[in-house]
Amino acid sequence: IITLFLSLFLLGCNESKDKAVSSRTQSKQAILLDSLQKLDSLVLKYIAKNATESMEYAKRAGKLAQVINTPTARAKAYNILGNAYSVISIDSGFYFYHKALIVSDSFNLTDRKGKVLYNLGMLNRSSGNYQNCIMFLDSALRFSISANDFTTMSNSLNSIGGFYYDIGEKGIARKMFDSAYAVAKSKSLYLQMGSSLGNLARFE
């Protein structure tokens, strides 16, 4: 009986220790992922006014993703690098966005895929490839709907509306802008609401 009690006691200690280690690992992972998200925000903040600083944050994101070492972190870091490089070199932007897309496809990261496809669409628009632009934006909209990614959904609708407005299909464009606003308003996405209203103002 004494041996049995000792065995149960030691087993309980080991389980408790394992849970503590697991909890610490998850906590550290959460902190690192939060840091990656902050670096993403900093890249977008400085992308227009200081490309060098934006690039520095993007490179830090790439190194941090190697430490986290998960498919989601790698896909996010490649997307961040794509954002930063797009301002300096369109080819480099395409390179990193495609790497993000490959990781997203390989690990079925539906929530990441919509964002990458949207960025590819906008980069194609910048390079004058409008056929690829609308193709990527349509795909981004489809994946954002399936993943309930309302920010990318509204952004895609806004950009598709802009495409149709530019080619003279103003009826379709207005429907897209209205839909973009409705999605943004339903989730209190104020930046997207502002973009949609700005686009709708073209018709007033």
Side-chain angles (χ1 to χ4, degrees):
I1 293 171
I2 293 170
T3 305
L4 178 62
F5 276 122
L6 282 172
S7 298
L8 289 171
F9 175 74
L10 291 171
L11 181 62
C13 288
N14 287 336
E15 284 180 355
S16 177
K17 184 179 178 182
D18 290 342
K19 286 178 182 177
V21 171
S22 176
S23 178
R24 283 199 299 272
T25 303
Q26 288 176 356
S27 178
K28 182 181 178 182
Q29 195 87 330
I31 291 168
L32 292 174
L33 285 169
D34 186 53
S35 298
L36 190 61
Q37 182 59 45
K38 286 176 181 174
L39 287 168
D40 187 13
S41 299
L42 287 167
V43 167
L44 294 175
K45 179 180 178 180
Y46 288 99
I47 204 164
K49 56 184 179 181
N50 192 331
T52 303
E53 192 164 354
S54 177
M55 181 63 68
E56 187 59 39
Y57 288 126
K59 288 177 179 177
R60 286 189 203 174
K63 291 176 182 176
L64 184 57
Q66 290 178 349
V67 175
I68 299 171
N69 196 28
T70 64
T72 300
R74 288 200 300 274
K76 189 173 182 67
Y78 286 140
N79 194 49
I80 293 170
L81 285 160
N83 288 337
Y85 272 103
S86 294
V87 180
I88 300 167
S89 166
I90 285 179
D91 288 340
S92 296
F94 276 124
Y95 171 77
F96 283 107
Y97 285 147
H98 278 295
K99 289 197 78 166
L101 192 59
I102 289 168
V103 175
S104 299
D105 278 334
S106 299
F107 294 92
N108 197 29
L109 304 175
T110 310
D111 57 327
R112 299 291 332 154
K113 192 168 180 179
K115 292 177 172 61
V116 179
L117 288 166
Y118 175 79
N119 287 334
L120 278 166
M122 298 308 288
L123 196 56
N124 271 281
R125 189 176 79 171
S126 298
S127 62
N129 194 335
Y130 297 108
Q131 186 173 356
N132 278 353
C133 166
I134 196 65
M135 180 187 73
F136 279 119
L137 289 176
D138 279 337
S139 296
L141 178 59
R142 189 170 68 253
F143 276 98
S144 64
I145 290 170
S146 66
N148 289 326
D149 179 358
F150 297 101
T151 300
T152 304
M153 199 186 304
S154 183
N155 286 340
S156 299
L157 287 164
N158 255 325
S159 297
I160 292 169
F163 173 83
Y164 280 111
Y165 187 91
D166 290 341
I167 64 173
E169 296 284 353
K170 296 188 178 179
I172 299 174
R174 181 158 196 157
K175 287 179 183 177
M176 292 293 170
F177 295 147
D178 279 332
S179 297
Y181 179 75
V183 170
K185 187 178 180 183
S186 71
K187 298 298 174 183
S188 300
L189 302 172
Y190 298 111
L191 180 62
Q192 283 69 32
M193 286 170 68
S195 296
S196 306
L197 288 172
N199 285 325
L200 285 167
R202 303 183 195 189
F203 297 95
E204 300 300 325

